[in-house]
Amino acid sequence: CSTTSPRPSGSSACAVAAVCVGRGLLASPVTVRMEGGDLTVAVEDELVLVGPVEAVGRVDVHPAWWAAHGGKP
């Protein structure tokens, strides 16, 4: 049990929308009302997410990882 609620995220909004559309409970696009604002998720062959964004962190990836995975920093 946690005393703090998890932060809303686009990933969770997409997951909920995809399950609801997949089960026939809602039609696409779905509006997901979240603490930071409404998100619209279109569920088709791909998921398309539209709504407000906010930076919540930073990730640094070591250049060796990029080299090993064919990408570039």
Side-chain angles (χ1 to χ4, degrees):
C1 184
S2 174
T3 57
T4 60
S5 61
R7 293 180 58 97
S9 71
S11 298
S12 61
C14 287
V16 169
V19 168
C20 288
V21 170
R23 290 186 172 208
L25 301 172
L26 297 171
S28 180
V30 176
T31 299
V32 181
R33 298 196 186 284
M34 303 186 89
E35 195 175 286
D38 291 355
L39 300 175
T40 301
V41 183
V43 181
E44 305 299 334
D45 291 335
E46 297 180 341
L47 298 175
V48 178
L49 175 65
V50 177
V53 297
E54 176 184 332
V56 295
R58 176 188 163 132
V59 175
D60 292 314
V61 180
H62 195 280
W65 185 92
W66 287 111
H69 293 85
K72 50 185 166 177

